[in-house]
Amino acid sequence: MAQAQIGIIGGSGLYKMNALKDIEEVQLSTPFGSPSDAVILGTLDETRVAFLARHGRNHTLLPSELPFRANIYAMKQLGVEYLISASAVGSLKEEVKPLDMVVPDQFIDRTKNRISTFFGEGVVAHIAFGDPVCHQLAGILAEAIASLNLPDVTLHRGGTYICMEGPAFSTKAESHLYRSWDATVIGMTNLPEAKLAREAEIAYATLALVTDYDCWHPNHDSVTVEMVIANLQRNATNAQKVIQETVRRLSQNPPPSEAHSALKYAILTRLDQAPAATKEKLHLLLQKYL
Ligand SMILES: CSC[C@H]1O[C@H](OP(=O)(O)O)[C@H](O)[C@@H]1O
Ligand SMILES: Nc1ncnc2[nH]cnc12
């Protein structure tokens, strides 16, 4: 099977990477169903990367409908060790303005209807998730953003991403509540992805692209999809530059990541006693530990 060490998941507004060369489109099937779309393998400068449009290339999947497990498993099948997620977010802080970029280091889970683990069916594992983002990958991403000096874009290193269920945006009461928790941005997708990436021992970091002030700001209209897309289109060119620069830096010096051994002390079940069918299903994740 084709391989790529670096994966990219593009969110709302980022449905393709324009700079990819020598493209190969692969339809993958996984024990968890099909991913959101075909994975696009292509070369960015000298480096082979795997790109997936999170909601499908025509944006046909709701956040609650996303096949998170299939998406992450597909990346694992391709040999991805570093996964960069690009996502549209609303801002929960005055100083985090639309068109700014945030590299969050924490998440709060407000989802209600997501499957966020590969485990179960006779194999129990509890990954550590106190630091849900790969520190090294997030650092490279932030350095890449800073190095580009993008006009009108302020970089915010660190911050908390609230992951809500959606698809409706928040009420004002919810938005104020999240502000009282000192959260930085809000979206609907990245937390399940980060958990599953960690279980799959893939280093994960988020490029959060601010599109709106959600609905809490007294001087800005409440978020609408129109607002999000208009700003994301303005963001998309910048996001592609950032991803390209991140891939360039990462491929020159891929860092060690704690994520790469996340399952080492996480599996409680004696694997020699575990159901064969589950071991078969999770072979890609468990093979190091069998
Ligand atoms: C189109 S606005 C809401 C939508 O945008 C974000 O998606 P993604 O994280 O894939 O960029 C947000 O999470 C919602 O799914
Ligand atoms: N305000 C917001 N809430 C949730 N997801 C978003 N994606 C972009 N803006 C958002």
Side-chain angles (χ1 to χ4, degrees), residues 9-15 54-55 59 61-64 66 85-90 114 161 163-165 167 169 186-190 193 209 211-212 223-225 228-229 232:
I9 297 188
S12 299
L14 194 66
Y15 306 111
R54 178 182 288 118
H55 303 273
H59 207 128
L61 296 166
L62 285 170
S64 314
L66 292 177
S85 154
S87 265
V89 294
R114 314 281 173 97
Y161 173 122
C163 192
M164 61 177 291
E165 183 65 40
F169 293 114
I186 183 159
M188 304 180 190
T189 59
N190 274 221
E193 222 166 73
L209 304 155
T211 50
D212 54 84
V223 54
T224 61
V225 163
V228 170
I229 295 300
L232 246 195

Side-chain angles (χ1 to χ4, degrees), residues 103-176:
V103 182
D105 57 2
Q106 283 297 329
F107 291 104
I108 294 177
D109 193 357
R110 290 276 300 166
T111 66
K112 299 179 173 74
N113 193 21
R114 314 281 173 97
I115 304 175
S116 311
T117 182
F118 289 110
F119 292 99
E121 295 172 20
V123 179
V124 175
H126 301 277
I127 46 148
F129 205 52
D131 293 303
V133 166
C134 170
H135 182 68
Q136 289 78 1
L137 182 58
I140 293 171
L141 180 57
E143 291 300 322
I145 299 169
S147 74
L148 292 170
N149 280 319
L150 298 163
D152 303 324
V153 174
T154 302
L155 162 65
H156 306 269
R157 290 179 193 232
T160 299
Y161 173 122
I162 298 261
C163 192
M164 61 177 291
E165 183 65 40
F169 293 114
S170 304
T171 64
K172 285 186 175 146
E174 288 165 335
S175 201
H176 287 298

